[in-house]
Amino acid sequence: MSTTSPATSSATSPATSPATSSATLVASDLDRTLIYSTAALDLRMPDAEAPRLLCVEVYGHKPLSYMTETAAALLTELAGATVFVPTTTRTREQYHRIHLPGPAPQYAICANGGHILVDGVSDRDWQQQVEARIADECAPLTEIRAHLATTADPAWLLKERVAENLFAYLVVERSLLPEEWVKELAVWAAERGWTVSLQGRKIYAVPVPLTKSAAMDEVARRTGATRTLAAGDSLLDADLLLAADLGWRPGHGELADHDWRAPHVVALEERGGAAGEEILRRFLAASAA
C-alpha cells in the first residue's frame, strides 16, 4: 500500500490564470465519493484480490485518505478533458491536505460552497456574497451553537466545531446518538433557515443559502462551461446533484440510506472504493458523449 502522495502541478496566481475552454464542468464531492478512509473503502473481496491503493491525504503523520490506483488514473484523464472542480464541505485547510493525482485544479469549492478557490486562493467577492446572503436569510451562527451546546448530551457528544465561521458540526458517538434528537434539531434549525445533515459520526448544521450548487453555477459561468456533471453521497450533495445536468450517487452514504433519487441522477449499486472508480468512469463517458 503506497503512502506517498502524487505530485501536482504548481498553480499560477488567480490574477493571471487562464480560463479553460472545455465545455464540460465536473463538480464532485470528495470524501466517500472519490476518496476514502481505510474503513470506508469497503473492500468486499479476498485480501489477495484487493486493489492497489494510492494515499492522497496524510494528517498527523499518518495516512488518512486513499484512492485506488485505477481511480487515480481515471481522475488524471478526467482532469485533462474537463473542468474538474473538487467540491467539498471541508474547510480550506482540510482541503489543502489532499493531493489529488493529475494537474492541480484551477477551481475548487470548499466549506459547502462558502469558498471558491482560484488556484488555491479564496475568491473574496464570492465569499462576501455568501456571507451577505446568510446574514440576510438565516439566524446567526451564535444562536445555532448555543442551541447545540444546551441540547447535546455529553454522553454521546465528543466534539463541537465551527468551520470557516460559516457552519457548525458535532462529532458524536453514533451508537449512543438518539435519532429523535437529530429529527428535533432538524425541525428547529429549519425554522431558522438552517439545514441538518448526519454523516457518519458528524452532525452538520448549515445555513440554507450555503450550497455547493450555487458555487458550481458560479464556476460554470466563469469558465464558460455549458454542461455540468456531479457526484456525491450525502444530503449536503443533493442540491449539487439536482443542479447538474447529470449526476451520480454511490450505493453507500446518506443519500443511499434515504433512497434519495432524481430523474437525471443515477443511483449506483457500487459501494466504497469501487463506487469511486465507477463514478469516474461515468464522468469520462458522459464528458465524451
Side-chain angles (χ1 to χ4, degrees):
M1 180 182 297
S2 169
T3 58
T4 303
S5 298
T8 55
S9 62
S10 60
T12 56
S13 69
T16 59
S17 297
T20 178
S21 60
S22 181
T24 299
L25 183 150
V26 174
S28 181
D29 177 48
L30 295 177
D31 293 280
R32 302 192 73 202
T33 299
L34 295 187
I35 69 174
Y36 293 83
S37 66
T38 303
L41 278 165
D42 195 16
L43 301 176
R44 301 185 181 189
M45 60 190 68
D47 290 350
E49 298 176 12
R52 288 168 56 90
L53 302 178
L54 177 69
C55 179
V56 295
E57 180 185 15
V58 175
Y59 183 60
H61 306 291
K62 296 179 180 179
L64 188 62
S65 299
Y66 300 88
M67 303 180 77
T68 68
E69 289 191 347
T70 297
L74 291 168
L75 178 56
T76 300
E77 182 180 354
L78 181 72
T82 67
V83 182
F84 173 67
V85 183
T87 305
T88 179
T89 304
R90 285 182 178 229
T91 64
R92 288 169 289 173
E93 179 182 358
Q94 292 167 337
Y95 167 72
H96 283 306
R97 297 200 307 248
I98 301 171
H99 299 278
L100 295 172
Q106 182 181 5
Y107 291 94
I109 295 168
C110 295
N112 211 63
H115 290 277
I116 293 175
L117 306 188
V118 185
D119 295 325
V121 179
S122 183
D123 183 280
R124 183 59 183 162
D125 288 343
W126 177 255
Q127 187 179 347
Q128 291 175 336
Q129 289 179 44
V130 170
E131 291 172 351
R133 284 195 63 194
I134 294 172
D136 288 343
E137 301 175 24
C138 307
L141 177 61
T142 52
E143 180 180 344
I144 305 304
R145 292 188 69 190
H147 182 78
L148 293 174
T150 56
T151 61
D153 190 337
W156 46 260
L157 176 62
L158 302 178
K159 298 176 185 177
E160 188 265 346
R161 293 287 186 267
V162 171
E164 303 276 16
N165 205 34
L166 290 170
F167 61 92
Y169 64 94
L170 307 179
V171 181
V172 302
E173 183 61 57
R174 183 68 180 267
S175 62
L176 301 177
L177 177 67
E179 290 186 11
E180 284 304 313
W181 185 87
V182 179
K183 293 178 181 178
E184 291 170 4
L185 174 64
V187 172
W188 180 89
E191 295 171 350
R192 290 158 177 81
W194 288 66
T195 187
V196 171
S197 176
L198 175 61
Q199 301 181 38
R201 298 195 307 145
K202 293 181 179 179
I203 302 171
Y204 290 90
V206 178
V208 170
L210 189 66
T211 64
K212 294 178 178 180
S213 60
M216 177 188 71
D217 288 344
E218 175 64 13
V219 176
R221 183 189 69 79
R222 295 186 187 191
T223 60
T226 57
R227 193 166 183 239
T228 53
L229 311 177
D233 70 295
S234 82
L235 288 175
L236 290 176
D237 296 313
D239 70 280
L240 178 71
L241 294 171
L242 288 172
D245 294 308
L246 288 173
W248 292 266
R249 70 157 174 85
H252 62 259
E254 203 177 20
L255 293 176
D257 291 345
H258 286 77
D259 196 28
W260 184 92
R261 296 176 183 272
H264 66 291
V265 177
V266 178
L268 299 174
E269 295 183 2
E270 289 84 357
R271 301 171 57 89
E277 291 183 5
E278 184 60 22
I279 286 168
L280 288 163
R281 291 189 186 96
R282 299 292 184 106
F283 279 152
L284 280 167
S287 65

